[in-house]
Structures are given as C-alpha cells and as structure tokens.
Amino acid sequence: MEQTVRQKNSIRQDNPVLQKILRVVVFILLIALAAFTLIPFVWMVSSSLKLDREVFAYPMHWIPETFHWENYSLIWQKVPLLTYFKNTAFIAIVVTFLQTLTSSFAAYAFAKLEFRGRDTLFLCYIATIAVPWQAYMLPQFIMMRSMGLYDTLWAMVVLQAFSAFGVFLMRQFYRSIPTELCEAARLDGLSEYGIWARIMLPLSKAAIATLVIFTFVGTWNDFMGPMIYLTRDFNKTIQVGLRRFIQENSSDYHLIMAASLCSLLPVSIVFLFLQKYFIEGIATSGLKG
Amino acid sequence: MKQGEQKLARARMGRMERKKTLIAYSFLAPNFLGFAIFTLVPVVCAIALSLFEWNGGDISRLRFVGFENYATIFNVKKVSQNGLAYFFNRVDLGIALKNTVYYTVITVPLTIICALALALLLNKIRGAVVFRAVFFFPYVASMVAICVCWSFMLMKDGPINHFIMALGIDFNKSWTADTTMAMWSIILVSVWRNMGYYMVIYLAALQGVPKELMEAATVDGANKWKQFLHVTLPQLRPTTFFVSIMMIISCFKIYDVVAIMTEGGPGRSTKMLVTYIYDEAFTKVRYGQASAISMILLIIVLLVTIIQFRSEKKFSND
C-alpha cells in the first residue's frame, strides 16, 4: 500500500510531460497576473494620447484612433512641471546625500566604537523608529514655522535628512564587518576617520546603494510632507503640484494622465536600472513599510 | 612611588577614554543634532501638546487644559448618555477608528494572500526576475499618479464598470462616490500597490525553507498541496507574523490614498485616523485636539510594536 503511494508520487514528480504542463500553466497564470498589475499603467499611457472626450468613450479603445502627442507638449505650458521637477530633484538629492553621509558616519560610532551612553542613545534612535511620524508631525510643523522654515524647500530637507532608519540600516550592516579589520587598521596607525573612509565605506557599497535608492524614491514620492509645508506654487514638488493641477482641471482627463505619466518617469528609470539593489535591500533588511 | 605610577597610568587611561568618547561623539554629532532637533524634541512635545489648548496664532494663546482635549474627542458627555453605538456611529473619532480598523482587517489578509501566492508562483521559475520587477513596480510608482489613474478607472463610465457590466453585474456609479464602494476602492489600490513589496519578503523567506524537509515530505507521500500546508506554511510562520505586524502599523498610518481618492468621503465613510488628525491640525487649526488624536494613534502603534517584541522573543526561544 505504502509502496504504491510512493511509486505514484515518484511518477508524478518525475513525469517530464506533467512537469512541463505544470510549468506552462504557472507561466500563463503569471502572465495574466502581470497584465492585471500593469493595466492601470497601460490605461494611463493610452488615455494620455487621446482627446478628453475619448477617454471614457464606449466601447473603449486601448490603442487611440489617432495619437495626440501634442498632449505632452500642452501640459508643459499648462502646468509648471519644470519647476515642480526642479524642486523635487533638489529635495531628493540633498536629502539623499545628507542622509547617507550622516547616517553612515553615526552608524560607524554605534557599530564599532565604544563610549559611554552608547546603548542608551541607540535605544533612543530605535524607539523613534517605532513612533509614527503622523503622531508628531504637528509639533514639528509648529517648530519649523517658528524657525521660519514654513513653505521653504529646506523644511522638506531637514524633515527627512536625519531619519533614524538610515542609522539603523547602516549599523546593522557595519556590524557584519569583522571588528578585527578595524583593529588591524588601528595598529597600522589609521585614525578612526581613516578607517571609516578607507575601510568601512568601500565595504558597504551594497548597504549604501539600498539606502540611497530608498531615500531617493521615498523623498521623490513623498506626499504628506509637501502637502503640509509647501503652499506657494513655485515651491511645490511634483506630487503636490500634480495634485493641484488635478483639482483645478478635474475634467482634462487626457492631460492629467499625461502629467501623471511624466511624474512617474524619473523614479521608473531609477527603478529599472537599480531594481536589483532595491529588491535585495528589502529582502535582507525587510524594514520600512 | 608605585602609587604614583598607578595614578599616572589611570590618568592616562582616563585621557584616552575621554579622547575615544570625543571621537565617537564627533561621528554621531551631524546626525544626532538633526535627529534631536527635528525628531526627538517634537516627539516629546507631541505628548505635552495634547494637554493644552491652542488654536494657532501666538504662543501666548497656549492654555493648559489637562485631559479636556481627550474628553472632547471622545465626546464623553454624549457617549456616556447614549452608549458606545453613538461613539462609533456619530463621533468623529469613533468613525475614524472604525474605518481604520475595517480597512486594516480586510487589507492585511488580502495582501498576505496575494503576496504569498505570487511568491509561491515565482519561486524557482525561469524569468522570475522580470515578473518580480513587474509585481514590485506599483510600490515605487508615485501615489498621486496611480491613485488618480485608479479613481478615473473606477468612475461611473470608467473601464472597470464597463467590464463589470459585461459580466452582468449592474453597478452604474462612481466607486469613490459610493459609501460602501469608496472604502473598497481604497482597499483595492492598497493591496495592488503593496502586494509586490511583501512578495519580495516572502520570496526571501522561501529560500530559507530547508530542502531536506521538502524531500522528506515527498518521500512520505505528501502531494504538492499537503507539502505546502504541512511544511512550507509552518516554516513561513515567523515571516507571516512579521509581515502582518508591519502591515497593521502601516495600515493605521494610511493617508495618501484616502487624501487623493476620496478625501475621507463620501460623508465620513472613508475618514481615517490620520485624515482626522490632518483635518483638526491643518484645516480646523485645533492643535490640542489634533495632538490628542495623535496620541491615540501612537498608543495603538506602540501596542502593536510591543506585541511584536514579545513574540519575537518567543520565536527566538523556540
């Protein structure tokens, strides 16, 4: 009895035809799911090339009857997209730079140096990761306003440049680097700054790549921060700028879709080239949600 | 003589110690200064501010009121007269809590099922890298663009209603304007957006399932389904737990999708905790009450985090 079960199973496992069929089924299923996932983007592209009255026409054409490329030149005149892009790029680049630099610096102290109060201080960092930003955004806002930072791009910079998350991520990585390496370098007369610059930094390229991508994409896509802080149009980021355009021209569907697509492009390109780091970073650190 | 030497040595040690500490602080300073000013101080202030009344303007208008803000947001007077049902159906805080919990309870399991299914399909298949990138992509796409796209697609004459009608279901309304479907459109977008992210975590966890266990199960005559049920699923338990905790926390912080797609409406049917905080703080400028609601959010998130810490200890002890 048991023998036959085992045989039946081994037949099922080894049967190449069955295996092949199973693989094809899984593949078709995956393609269907991928199509479902991408439908909104396809619809966005398709609608961005139509006239506004064609967007909701029935029956719907996935491929527009005539391609209205002029939508893409029209939006640059109707929306100050370039200003929005410039502001967002400024914030994203400065935040990413400051974040990576200061957190890898601080993480080195937490991971490889011994000093009084280290564990208490680190606990402080960890504890604030658990506190949702939405719970303290108001006092933060009041403070920033009293500092004269309200409605400036610098508000967005200082808001995001010193997050505890970066320090935590880098520290985890530095701890995996053997301490003997640092000690050997110390014996060779390298200062702590030298060790950081010449040994730790070059060894932590993968962790830095993860942090850079996360910070860049996070800042680029940030919505609530700019929504609270940036009110004048020339200060707006692409997210809140796009939203203002949507609210003011809510029936220009084709133009809204074209502008939305433009807002997606930079991050999509970054993702396309660096998706390996992105996905590996999540798989290993598994944090930030 | 010897004592003197010892003293000297100790002094030198002390100096070295101090130098070490100074160097360490110099590493910490750039990050810590920014962190202390812009995060630590506001966190402490948030707790204090919930005990004050302040409706904007000059700081001299700040007035200590004790727990009055909490009494107001819970509407203690009316609730004690009319019971809990009144709280959850009429009071803003009750509605926001009810909506947020409803959203969380449905979104978390749905996302887990989708993420796990995708991970299982992708595990050990050729071309997985391409599929992985496709499923992950919505997670990096910016909120405003995808939310406005979805709300167009869910409009009265949108493609989704056309599709549904072709299936024979009569639904001729804009999803985001309908009191029940508005919440479901938010759930739909959330699941669609986040499933790829958690799929990546599950994929990594699947790599960690020991091969020997699977082989042993096959030898014992388990089919694929039984293998999944009795080997894979139990092995993934810590991951599922971790993923659920992370997701519950992020669900309680939901704001973007709601702000862009429904603005909390129609009526108050998609009003969430953070939407409520935003309204009180930045639209109605009632800082004290907004801070009191923030504290409710904080307490919920901290409770979930404590559960996580407790269980992580249990997992590592097992």
Side-chain angles (χ1 to χ4, degrees):
Chain A
M1 172 65 192
E2 211 180 279
Q3 194 78 32
T4 49
V5 169
R6 208 173 285 177
Q7 254 173 7
K8 228 169 91 190
N9 248 303
S10 68
I11 289 169
R12 196 183 297 160
Q13 293 288 320
D14 300 332
N15 189 336
V17 181
L18 231 115
Q19 284 284 324
K20 214 168 213 175
I21 292 176
L22 194 73
R23 217 175 293 156
V24 170
V25 169
V26 168
F27 204 72
I28 291 172
L29 200 63
L30 277 172
I31 289 183
L33 287 168
F36 168 75
T37 309
L38 292 180
I39 276 180
F41 299 109
V42 178
W43 194 78
M44 197 186 279
V45 175
S46 150
S47 305
S48 73
L49 294 168
K50 291 176 177 172
L51 292 173
D52 54 348
R53 60 189 152 76
E54 284 175 335
V55 172
F56 290 111
Y58 184 76
M60 193 200 134
H61 297 279
W62 283 99
I63 298 165
E65 281 161 334
T66 37
F67 288 86
H68 294 275
W69 294 107
E70 73 274 10
N71 290 348
Y72 281 91
S73 56
L74 213 62
I75 47 167
W76 294 86
Q77 295 157 21
K78 276 199 127 181
V79 208
L81 272 184
L82 200 64
T83 315
Y84 299 157
F85 269 125
K86 266 195 226 149
N87 293 338
T88 322
F90 171 79
I91 295 170
I93 289 169
V94 176
V95 167
T96 308
F97 177 75
L98 280 177
Q99 162 86 286
T100 317
L101 190 75
T102 65
S103 13
S104 83
F105 221 49
Y108 177 69
F110 277 129
K112 295 292 176 203
L113 297 177
E114 266 169 50
F115 58 92
R116 236 204 284 155
R118 181 177 77 172
D119 296 338
T120 325
L121 209 56
F122 189 64
L123 202 71
C124 255
Y125 271 81
I126 296 291
T128 49
I129 293 182
V131 177
W133 174 70
Q134 288 88 345
Y136 62 87
M137 63 182 180
L138 177 59
Q140 197 181 42
F141 169 80
I142 296 169
M143 215 176 73
M144 297 266 238
R145 198 181 46 188
S146 70
M147 289 171 160
L149 287 170
Y150 176 64
D151 204 8
T152 64
L153 296 183
W154 286 105
M156 298 320 302
V157 170
V158 293
L159 199 73
Q160 297 172 88
F162 308 103
S163 89
F165 171 73
V167 178
F168 179 73
L169 186 88
M170 293 305 290
R171 173 187 174 265
Q172 293 308 89
F173 190 83
Y174 282 164
R175 274 164 68 98
S176 69
I177 296 174
T179 312
E180 290 82 38
L181 259 173
C182 305
E183 270 157 17
R186 245 167 248 155
L187 285 180
D188 284 348
L190 218 58
S191 73
E192 297 296 336
Y193 307 103
I195 298 174
W196 173 79
R198 295 215 204 144
I199 297 175
M200 297 310 249
L201 265 194
L203 281 175
S204 55
K205 271 185 200 139
I208 290 178
T210 303
L211 185 59
V212 164
I213 299 165
F214 263 117
T215 314
F216 184 83
V217 173
T219 333
W220 187 277
N221 288 343
D222 185 23
F223 175 70
M224 202 174 181
M227 174 98 171
I228 295 170
Y229 281 95
L230 308 175
T231 48
R232 281 172 297 179
D233 208 39
F234 63 85
N235 269 337
K236 285 198 161 125
T237 63
I238 183 74
Q239 306 302 335
V240 282
L242 181 62
R243 179 169 147 95
R244 191 206 60 122
F245 176 67
I246 293 165
Q247 281 176 330
E248 285 170 12
N249 307 275
S250 55
S251 57
D252 287 338
Y253 307 113
H254 55 316
L255 296 183
I256 290 174
M257 287 295 100
S260 299
L261 206 71
C262 289
S263 82
L264 283 181
L265 274 183
V267 168
S268 311
I269 292 167
V270 170
F271 175 68
L272 208 65
F273 285 106
L274 301 174
Q275 59 115 347
K276 193 187 119 208
Y277 289 105
F278 219 117
I279 285 169
E280 275 167 14
I282 295 168
T284 50
S285 72
L287 268 164
K288 189 148 185 170
Chain B
M1 184 60 198
K2 220 168 183 196
Q3 250 185 349
E5 250 173 45
Q6 259 177 4
K7 232 183 200 168
L8 214 72
R10 214 177 298 146
R12 197 182 302 146
M13 284 283 282
R15 229 176 312 148
M16 271 182 51
E17 196 82 339
R18 230 174 298 142
K19 199 184 160 205
K20 259 181 157 177
T21 307
L22 264 172
I23 289 177
Y25 284 163
S26 74
F27 271 99
L28 284 174
N31 190 277
F32 184 74
L33 282 179
F35 169 75
I37 298 171
F38 297 110
T39 305
L40 224 46
V41 172
V43 168
V44 177
C45 288
I47 302 167
L49 194 57
S50 73
L51 304 175
F52 286 85
E53 189 187 86
W54 188 13
N55 299 330
D58 197 72
I59 196 153
S60 60
R61 310 261 283 284
L62 196 71
R63 191 167 64 87
F64 183 78
V65 292
F67 287 95
E68 207 175 278
N69 289 321
Y70 291 92
T72 316
I73 59 167
F74 278 100
N75 206 340
V76 175
K77 225 173 166 185
K78 283 249 174 101
V79 171
S80 59
Q81 278 167 11
N82 303 310
L84 266 182
Y86 182 87
F87 177 65
F88 286 113
N89 292 322
R90 289 296 176 79
V91 182
D92 277 335
L93 180 68
I95 291 172
L97 273 172
K98 191 176 72 179
N99 288 341
T100 314
V101 170
Y102 181 79
Y103 164 78
T104 308
V105 166
I106 291 169
T107 307
V108 173
L110 267 184
T111 314
I112 288 186
I113 291 169
C114 294
L116 185 57
L118 288 179
L120 286 170
L121 285 176
L122 277 187
N123 198 25
K124 291 173 201 152
I125 207 160
R126 230 178 294 154
V129 183
V130 179
F131 283 119
R132 206 178 57 174
V134 168
F135 295 130
F136 189 79
F137 183 64
Y139 185 78
V140 284
S142 69
M143 273 296 193
V144 180
I146 59 172
C147 286
V148 74
C149 181
W150 271 106
S151 51
F152 282 175
M153 287 181 28
L154 291 165
M155 288 218 314
K156 187 164 170 277
D157 300 313
I160 291 185
N161 274 357
H162 287 323
F163 178 72
I164 287 177
M165 277 200 289
L167 291 178
I169 303 164
D170 191 36
F171 188 79
N172 200 10
K173 249 180 168 180
S174 198
W175 286 45
T176 49
D178 181 82
T179 39
T180 25
M181 293 323 276
M183 182 63 93
W184 282 93
S185 23
I186 290 165
I187 293 170
L188 173 73
V189 175
S190 301
V191 173
W192 170 81
R193 178 173 185 264
N194 292 319
M195 63 184 186
Y197 177 83
Y198 295 103
M199 171 201 74
V200 170
I201 296 180
Y202 268 122
L203 268 173
L206 279 173
Q207 308 283 311
V209 176
K211 247 190 159 165
E212 299 81 46
L213 272 181
M214 294 299 230
E215 277 160 13
T218 320
V219 171
D220 285 346
N223 59 22
K224 279 256 154 82
W225 172 245
K226 278 200 173 140
Q227 242 180 43
F228 168 70
L229 219 59
H230 297 299
V231 181
T232 316
L233 216 52
Q235 285 283 317
L236 290 178
R237 244 193 33 216
T239 311
T240 306
F241 177 75
F242 171 71
V243 163
S244 321
I245 293 283
M246 269 173 46
M247 229 186 292
I248 291 171
I249 292 177
S250 75
C251 277
F252 266 94
K253 296 193 281 194
I254 186 184
Y255 173 77
D256 298 13
V257 188
V258 181
I260 302 160
M261 288 182 72
T262 66
E263 294 187 75
R268 291 183 279 185
S269 61
T270 53
K271 191 184 187 112
M272 306 284 187
L273 265 183
V274 178
T275 329
Y276 185 29
I277 297 175
Y278 185 94
D279 278 349
E280 290 295 313
F282 301 110
T283 315
K284 297 181 180 147
V285 199
R286 291 195 283 231
Y287 290 160
Q289 281 179 44
S291 298
I293 310 160
S294 303
M295 287 308 107
I296 309 280
L297 173 73
L298 179 66
I299 289 166
I300 294 171
V301 171
L302 286 186
L303 277 180
V304 178
T305 312
I306 288 169
I307 294 173
Q308 180 197 7
F309 271 137
R310 284 259 171 96
S311 316
E312 244 166 33
K313 262 190 202 147
K314 215 186 82 195
F315 276 128
S316 55
N317 284 345
D318 276 353

